Amino acid sequence: MSYELQALIGTLELLRVAAAEVPAARVVPLAQGLALIPVTSGVLAALQGDGSVRKPAGGAGFGWHSDGFELRLAAWSKAGPIACVEAEYFGGSGTQRAAVWEDGRVVLGPLTIGEFEPAPAEGAPISRALRRIGAHTAEGRGDEFDSVGLGAHRSTGDWVADD
């Protein structure tokens, strides 16, 4: 079974403001007052910019981010922390990456776990990013990833389809 996700995660209020600037963006509520914007091809295209600007100092360096994308995250993060996460798993192995912007700069990450690498004691990248933006574990729900409900769908597109 596979799992893939590319998303922005923050408070519901913050992401509603951010989504108002990106017509293709859809805000999907999660548990604990958080929400996500699935980074679909339409959202990614809207956030890419024209590529003529430089990445902010300390950028996260995700392969699919453009300079304009990271500058937009930096701007939004002045109103509250925002995480950018990606995961891709198939048959129990895969990769995970996360970074958090706050006050206009990257404050966590980028954190990466490669295929077949164990999660560090402090947690997997997405759970650490979620913790940084205020998520906590819920009784009987495993880590922060499970506690906010990121297992509800198996692909980025499914989050939009359920909208």
Side-chain angles (χ1 to χ4, degrees), residues 19-80:
E21 297 179 23
V22 182
R26 300 293 175 259
V27 178
V28 182
L30 297 170
Q32 302 183 24
L34 297 177
L36 69 75
I37 293 176
V39 181
T40 61
S41 59
V43 170
L44 189 58
L47 292 177
Q48 292 292 18
D50 64 9
S52 64
V53 294
R54 306 277 309 169
K55 286 186 178 161
F62 282 67
W64 47 275
H65 287 187
S66 71
D67 298 346
F69 188 100
E70 290 198 19
L71 286 171
R72 187 76 65 101
L73 291 178
W76 289 336
S77 76
K78 291 178 181 177

Side-chain angles (χ1 to χ4, degrees), residues 116-153:
F116 305 113
E117 288 182 35
E122 59 271 16
I126 293 175
S127 287
R128 289 179 61 194
L130 290 169
R131 196 175 314 130
R132 178 68 191 233
I133 66 172
H136 59 301
T137 57
E139 189 173 325
R141 295 290 311 248
D143 60 8
E144 293 83 0
F145 184 100
D146 292 326
S147 294
V148 301
L150 288 179
H153 297 289

Side-chain angles (χ1 to χ4, degrees), residues 4 8 11-12 14 24 34-35 75-77 80 88 96 98 110 112 119 123 129 132 134 150:
E4 71 76 28
L8 304 176
T11 64
L12 182 58
L14 174 62
L34 297 177
W76 289 336
S77 76
E88 189 169 349
Q96 204 179 103
T112 302
R132 178 68 191 233
L150 288 179

